Amino acid sequence: MAGYVSDAVIRRLPGYYRHLRELEAAGVVQISSQELGKRMQLTPSQIRQDINCFGGFGRQGYGYQVSNLKEHIGEILGLTQQHKVIIVGLGNIGSAVAMYPTFSREGFVTVAAFDVDANKIGQRLGSIPVFDMSELENFLDDSKVDIAVLAVPAAVAQSTLDRLYKGGVRAVWNFAPTDMAHPDDMIVVNVHLSDSLQILSYKMAHRDDA
Amino acid sequence: MAGYVSDAVIRRLPGYYRHLRELEAAGVVQISSQELGKRMQLTPSQIRQDINCFGGFGRQGYGYQVSNLKEHIGEILGLTQQHKVIIVGLGNIGSAVAMYPTFSREGFVTVAAFDVDANKIGQRLGSIPVFDMSELENFLDDSKVDIAVLAVPAAVAQSTLDRLYKGGVRAVWNFAPTDMAHPDDMIVVNVHLSDSLQILSYKMAHRDDA
């Protein structure tokens, strides 16, 4: 991929990937920017701009090859690499993420989970072994971990993040409902569930403004 | 709240609410745009612009009253109203959302859940009664529901959304990993978990580009 890609385009990439995967599964071989735009609620020229931006695929008038474009976007998203994942905090959200079926298909392999609950430690969640939180440092010493899913209570989120950083983890997918400080060489992507529910609430309260 | 509020400001509102709640809990009474900006990784002038935009609070040089501003933003977000919620689909994600502790604090009250699993139907998840999916229409006939949490498999998401619409539900918080068509008078906010994991993966793959 050549050159600068804006944040807005990056945010749209997973949507492209999802729609192209659905189209591929439905047996669609080729799609025009008009059709793809309609599906994704983007203008055809926006679609063409985006796709040009990540590599100049497609030829105007012929449309895009669905499988090729999907593969290409998957590569840009890093989905062709395998990522070793640990889940830190096996409450409801952590457990749900651990069991989420599509992640392993996309190369995210969960190798271990950590919790403080004696009833969970030593058990398995599906095929995932559950360790005591106190074993986190030892585990990270022995194993390279690409991504930690952080699903601990907000009150211990920052200290847990710091432990992950010291253990060498440089990418965190955070579900704790708080924003944390982190060094520049650590990537943190937050999923604040309350935020999106509040956006829904906002839209309901202001439904008649428009 | 007067006038037009941009999507970008709306997207930031839950962040303001979260930080102000944390500050309030920490006993902070007053905060300057500088301090709040540092916390939220926004410039002080961005903070002042945003807060002006949703009602012209605060006086320059004095900072903002934390509790007042939090209450005000909560009102804008519609959090002072109670919302009756149902959960449709009690898999891992649906169950986790049903049990999420902060939602009820913010006025989102889950009154029922629906699933097709005979082992779940007739049981309770915490205090929430679980009904057969086939009872959805009857339930919606009898009860006004403000928000449906949609957490069914992608393959049945569209048909379930259509049933919710026919039953009078006009707001959906969707966790099914697909984008659905819906009438203009229905608000749908999607939480595509894969998308944010893919954004994390993208940032990891392009860590050294910058």
Side-chain angles (χ1 to χ4, degrees):
Chain A
M1 183 164 57
Y4 174 76
V5 181
S6 75
D7 273 356
V9 175
I10 294 168
R11 273 201 302 272
R12 282 197 289 273
L13 280 170
Y16 278 102
Y17 189 78
R18 185 173 59 251
H19 281 280
L20 290 165
R21 198 186 54 212
E22 287 179 1
L23 288 163
E24 188 184 45
V28 176
V29 173
Q30 194 166 302
I31 192 164
S32 67
S33 52
Q34 282 79 7
E35 291 167 302
L36 189 55
K38 199 173 165 197
R39 232 187 120 96
M40 292 186 63
Q41 299 184 290
L42 295 169
T43 64
S45 90
Q46 182 69 76
I47 297 273
R48 286 192 296 267
Q49 262 181 45
D50 282 357
I51 293 180
N52 269 331
C53 177
F54 42 80
F57 249 63
R59 296 161 294 163
Q60 265 199 4
Y62 293 89
Y64 303 103
Q65 301 299 319
V66 169
S67 294
N68 280 1
L69 187 56
K70 190 205 98 179
E71 288 306 309
H72 183 63
I73 291 175
E75 267 170 45
I76 296 173
L77 285 169
L79 304 183
T80 47
Q81 297 156 41
Q82 205 175 72
H83 294 95
K84 281 174 74 176
V85 178
I86 60 171
I87 314 268
V88 183
L90 270 190
N92 294 305
I93 295 285
S95 304
V97 170
M99 304 302 284
Y100 206 73
T102 58
F103 296 148
S104 58
R105 188 178 65 196
E106 292 166 359
F108 301 95
V109 181
T110 303
V111 293
F114 296 86
D115 203 279
V116 293
D117 182 346
N119 293 317
K120 292 175 183 166
I121 295 163
Q123 307 294 314
R124 281 178 180 267
L125 185 69
S127 61
I128 306 162
V130 183
F131 298 107
D132 193 315
M133 265 302 289
S134 66
E135 295 181 52
L136 182 63
E137 281 76 10
N138 283 339
F139 186 90
L140 293 176
D141 271 353
D142 292 341
S143 317
K144 193 186 166 305
V145 168
D146 301 306
I147 298 172
V149 177
L150 188 58
V152 297
V156 295
Q158 181 72 60
S159 60
T160 310
L161 186 96
D162 297 343
R163 290 173 65 185
L164 290 165
Y165 185 83
K166 282 192 197 113
V169 177
R170 291 295 179 267
V172 169
W173 194 27
N174 173 50
F175 287 78
T178 187
D179 293 316
M180 291 165 292
H182 59 86
D184 285 343
D185 63 340
M186 183 180 229
I187 300 165
V188 177
V189 168
N190 294 306
V191 182
H192 289 317
L193 288 178
S194 280
D195 286 17
S196 77
L197 182 56
Q198 289 176 7
I199 295 288
L200 181 62
S201 168
Y202 174 89
K203 289 186 176 179
M204 292 168 73
H206 299 266
R207 205 190 279 271
D208 305 320
D209 289 6
Chain B
M1 184 164 57
Y4 173 76
V5 181
S6 75
D7 273 355
V9 175
I10 295 169
R11 272 199 303 271
R12 282 196 290 274
L13 279 170
Y16 279 101
Y17 189 78
R18 185 173 60 250
H19 282 280
L20 290 164
R21 198 186 54 213
E22 287 179 359
L23 288 163
E24 188 184 46
V28 177
V29 173
Q30 195 165 301
I31 192 163
S32 67
S33 52
Q34 282 79 7
E35 293 167 301
L36 189 54
K38 199 175 164 196
R39 231 187 121 96
M40 293 186 64
Q41 299 183 290
L42 295 169
T43 65
S45 90
Q46 182 70 74
I47 298 272
R48 287 192 296 269
Q49 261 181 44
D50 281 357
I51 293 181
N52 270 331
C53 176
F54 42 79
F57 249 62
R59 296 159 296 164
Q60 267 198 4
Y62 294 88
Y64 303 102
Q65 301 298 319
V66 169
S67 293
N68 280 2
L69 187 55
K70 189 206 99 179
E71 288 306 309
H72 183 63
I73 292 175
E75 268 171 44
I76 296 173
L77 285 169
L79 304 182
T80 47
Q81 298 157 41
Q82 206 176 71
H83 294 94
K84 281 175 74 177
V85 177
I86 59 172
I87 315 268
V88 183
L90 269 190
N92 293 305
I93 296 285
S95 303
V97 170
M99 304 302 284
Y100 206 73
T102 58
F103 298 148
S104 58
R105 188 178 65 196
E106 292 166 358
F108 300 95
V109 181
T110 303
V111 294
F114 295 85
D115 203 279
V116 293
D117 182 345
N119 293 317
K120 294 176 182 166
I121 295 163
Q123 307 294 315
R124 280 177 181 268
L125 185 69
S127 62
I128 306 161
V130 183
F131 298 106
D132 193 316
M133 265 302 289
S134 65
E135 295 181 52
L136 182 64
E137 280 75 10
N138 283 339
F139 186 90
L140 293 176
D141 271 353
D142 292 342
S143 316
K144 193 185 166 307
V145 167
D146 300 306
I147 298 173
V149 177
L150 189 58
V152 298
V156 294
Q158 181 72 60
S159 61
T160 310
L161 186 96
D162 297 343
R163 289 172 65 185
L164 291 166
Y165 185 83
K166 281 192 196 115
V169 177
R170 290 295 178 268
V172 169
W173 195 25
N174 173 49
F175 288 79
T178 187
D179 293 316
M180 290 164 292
H182 58 87
D184 285 343
D185 63 340
M186 182 179 230
I187 299 165
V188 177
V189 168
N190 294 306
V191 181
H192 289 317
L193 289 178
S194 280
D195 286 18
S196 77
L197 182 56
Q198 289 176 6
I199 294 289
L200 181 62
S201 168
Y202 174 89
K203 289 185 175 180
M204 293 169 73
H206 300 266
R207 205 189 278 271
D208 304 320
D209 289 5

